[in-house]
């Protein structure tokens, strides 16, 4: 059983919460200059902010609920949707709609089923697809970056290296 909470935000004035400030700055930076993460990154930041507010600035009542994760059919629909949409900005709302769930319930259930957040999963899938495209060698690195919805080649390189430990160029050379 997972505790689910019925929350009520408590009014507080003149508080200093560094996490709220940091998330606010990240939200502003992303909306001022959208990057690779796009809508799913914004959704993740908002979910993190809401979770923090609920944990530290709300009163709650616990309600017990069964732990389950997404059903195999819903998970398959979401995974298929992600695979066919890697070339564009995918929002958390879209993924939740594919699963026929609310955004917050989808995020929680997806993480239970897959073991990672939807944002991280989409990024991992983009990197995996990039590996197969880089092995084919019929596209240059910039074309691979564009085909997978990365903001630019340096953004692609940063995420690729973070996930694999090597740059796309070195990966291609070793393939």
């Amino acid at each position: 059983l997972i505790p689910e909470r019925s929350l009520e935000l408590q009014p507080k004035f003149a508080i200093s919460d560094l996490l709220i400030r940091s998330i606010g700055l990240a939200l502003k930076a992303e909306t001022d200059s959208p990057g690779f993460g796009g809508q799913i990154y914004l959704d993740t930041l908002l979910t993190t902010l809401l979770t923090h507010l609920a944990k530290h600035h709300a009163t709650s009542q616990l309600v017990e609920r069964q732990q389950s994760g997404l059903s195999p059919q819903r998970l398959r629909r979401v995974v298929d949707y992600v695979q066919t949409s890697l070339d564009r900005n995918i929002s958390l709302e879209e993924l939740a709609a594919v699963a026929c769930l609310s955004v917050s319930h989808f995020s929680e259930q997806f993480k239970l089923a897959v073991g990672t957040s939807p944002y991280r999963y989409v990024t991992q899938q983009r990197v995996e697809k990039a590996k197969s495209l880089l092995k084919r060698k019929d596209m240059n690195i910039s074309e691979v970056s564009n085909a997978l919805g990365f903001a630019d080649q340096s953004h692609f390189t940063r995420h690729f290296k973070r996930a694999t430990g090597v740059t796309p160029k070195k990966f291609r050379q070793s393939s």
Side-chain angles (χ1 to χ4, degrees):
L1 294 177
I2 296 177
E4 188 172 284
R5 301 179 191 289
S6 171
L7 301 173
E8 181 179 329
L9 209 52
Q10 296 298 306
K12 294 182 182 177
F13 302 98
I15 62 165
S16 177
D17 188 317
L18 293 177
L19 185 56
I20 291 173
R21 179 171 163 45
S22 297
I23 293 171
L25 290 171
L27 284 165
K28 181 174 179 355
E30 184 62 23
T31 55
D32 288 350
S33 178
F36 164 73
Q39 189 61 48
I40 199 165
Y41 178 59
L42 286 171
D43 294 342
T44 301
L45 285 172
L46 288 170
T47 301
T48 303
L49 176 61
L50 291 173
T51 302
H52 179 74
L53 287 170
K55 184 175 180 182
H56 297 284
H57 302 285
T59 60
S60 66
Q61 295 178 342
L62 290 179
V63 178
E64 294 296 321
R65 187 175 53 78
Q66 286 294 110
Q67 176 178 350
S68 61
L70 294 175
S71 70
Q73 298 83 3
R74 285 182 176 174
L75 182 58
R76 172 59 33 215
R77 283 196 316 261
V78 171
V79 167
D80 290 345
Y81 184 83
V82 167
Q83 290 303 317
T84 60
S85 304
L86 289 175
D87 62 333
R88 60 179 197 77
N89 192 3
I90 305 170
S91 73
L92 203 50
E93 283 87 3
E94 285 177 76
L95 296 178
V98 169
C100 301
L101 297 171
S102 71
V103 171
S104 60
H105 190 63
F106 166 75
S107 293
E108 177 185 309
Q109 295 301 300
F110 185 88
K111 189 166 186 173
L112 282 172
V114 178
T116 190
S117 71
Y119 171 76
R120 201 166 275 199
Y121 176 79
V122 169
T123 302
Q124 289 168 348
Q125 295 309 301
R126 284 188 166 122
V127 169
E128 288 304 311
K129 178 75 173 182
K131 287 180 187 178
S132 66
L133 292 175
L134 289 168
K135 287 179 183 177
R136 288 187 1 209
K137 299 183 182 179
D138 62 339
M139 296 171 78
N140 65 39
I141 294 171
S142 178
E143 291 171 327
V144 171
S145 169
N146 290 336
L148 294 174
F150 288 92
D152 54 43
Q153 187 174 337
S154 67
H155 196 249
F156 165 59
T157 299
R158 189 170 54 251
H159 279 280
F160 191 89
K161 186 172 183 180
R162 187 179 301 146
T164 66
V166 296
T167 64
K169 183 177 180 180
K170 288 200 188 269
F171 180 85
R172 175 170 268 172
Q173 289 169 346
S174 68
S175 298

